[in-house]
Amino acid sequence: MLTNKQDVVKPHLISIVGAGPGDPELLTVRALRRLEQADVILYDALHGTDILDLATPHARKIYAGKHYQDGQHQTERQDRIHEQLKQFAHEGKRVVRLKAGDPFIFGRGAEELAFCFRENLTVEVVPGITAGLAAASCFHIPVTLRNANSMAMFYTGHKRNGGFENMDEVAAVLRANAPVMVYMGLKNLILLGKELMQRKVPTDTPLQIVSRVGHPDQQLFSTQLDEVEEFLSKHDPPMPAVIILGTKAHQIKADTFV
């Protein structure tokens, strides 16, 4: 059976790509290759233009991100992204959905992947370095430490229904000497600290803040749990920021293992 050439659509591939924290040198090799191969890039907001500059010059770049309190209706925004993925795939385009950090950590990568499955679109996920791990590296903080802690937690500082979720579990992790990396929690940090101290988390628990992880204007701040309110009255860490909490959330030193 002969097929009309106009009916032939070239193979497509949607790549949901983690861009890492913002430094182009922290991209994976696969992420770089997908940028070089892309026809269309739907990109997030939390990384700079340097990463986009690595894409092939002919790629169409479309902003699909969000900023804190930018007025977008997030369900409508996500639906629009889904429709764009479907549209460009049906046009035979190679699409990169470029997401800050890792697609599966406090992003909507899972929603986008599920949509592609429902629509029978060819899709892959390319992991990226998440901001929490990058922030810990900036401070030389080991996320796990032999003979000290054997777990870690990623946590969102967003409130739902007027309060934080899983606070008892967060406090238990901190009391077990394991670190908690808090995303999107700067505006609620004072309240978060009070809730943790009410759950018997030591008041002198170290607290580190990394603003704009992986960007040239990255800033590092240090305080402790019971001094957060005073600290924030004197300092204004830029967003986005990652907060690292924990008894072991301080820099490795030469005598750490001595």
Side-chain angles (χ1 to χ4, degrees):
M1 177 179 175
L2 294 176
T3 302
N4 189 317
K5 288 185 178 181
Q6 292 181 342
D7 296 331
V8 176
V9 178
K10 66 180 180 180
H12 69 269
L13 174 65
I14 294 171
S15 301
I16 301 173
V17 175
D23 184 345
E25 294 190 355
L26 294 179
L27 280 173
T28 66
V29 174
R30 181 172 293 180
L32 177 59
R33 286 176 178 162
R34 294 298 180 260
L35 288 171
E36 293 172 340
Q37 297 164 347
D39 297 307
V40 180
I41 301 172
L42 303 174
Y43 65 94
D44 260 359
L46 299 183
H47 49 74
T49 59
D50 289 348
I51 289 177
L52 290 174
D53 291 342
L54 298 174
T56 180
H58 78 263
R60 181 180 176 186
K61 303 176 181 70
I62 302 172
Y63 175 70
K66 64 177 180 177
H67 285 287
Y68 175 60
Q69 291 185 335
D70 65 2
Q72 293 190 73
H73 188 286
Q74 294 311 316
T75 299
E76 292 178 359
R77 182 185 75 91
Q78 195 61 49
D79 288 344
R80 185 166 59 252
I81 291 169
H82 290 169
E83 290 306 311
Q84 288 174 315
L85 292 173
K86 181 179 178 179
Q87 171 194 336
F88 291 125
H90 286 175
E91 292 175 2
K93 308 293 187 184
R94 299 193 70 159
V95 184
V96 166
R97 174 67 178 105
L98 190 63
K99 304 178 73 68
D102 182 272
F104 282 178
I105 297 182
F106 300 124
R108 299 195 179 209
E111 296 176 40
E112 292 165 5
L113 181 65
F115 173 82
C116 291
F117 286 158
R118 288 195 301 273
E119 297 293 329
N120 294 315
L121 305 176
T122 307
V123 63
E124 67 172 351
V125 178
V126 180
I129 296 175
T130 187
L133 297 180
S137 296
C138 293
F139 262 109
H140 297 166
I141 295 171
V143 176
T144 61
L145 186 62
R146 181 169 51 88
N147 299 327
N149 70 286
S150 57
M151 62 179 173
M153 175 182 277
F154 299 120
Y155 184 70
T156 173
H158 279 319
K159 293 196 296 181
R160 291 186 63 184
N161 301 319
F164 297 105
E165 296 183 301
N166 306 112
M167 284 302 296
D168 291 338
E169 291 81 0
V170 176
V173 169
L174 290 169
R175 290 197 303 269
N177 296 324
V180 174
M181 284 150 283
V182 182
Y183 293 62
M184 300 166 287
L186 195 58
K187 67 184 178 69
N188 295 321
L189 184 54
I190 293 173
L191 179 58
L192 179 66
K194 290 178 179 178
E195 296 236 4
L196 291 172
M197 288 186 287
Q198 289 173 2
R199 289 168 171 79
K200 309 301 183 184
V201 175
T203 59
D204 61 351
T205 298
L207 187 154
Q208 318 295 346
I209 301 172
V210 185
S211 289
R212 296 186 54 76
V213 181
H215 292 259
D217 58 346
Q218 171 183 287
Q219 296 182 54
L220 311 181
F221 304 88
S222 296
T223 184
Q224 63 183 48
L225 198 58
D226 62 351
E227 296 178 357
V228 166
E229 190 165 3
E230 180 183 359
F231 171 83
L232 291 177
S233 71
K234 299 176 181 177
H235 303 276
D236 186 19
M239 290 195 287
V242 176
I243 299 146
I244 308 174
L245 279 160
T247 56
K248 305 297 181 182
H250 49 72
Q251 292 182 331
I252 286 289
K253 298 180 182 179
D255 60 354
T256 297
F257 296 101
V258 177

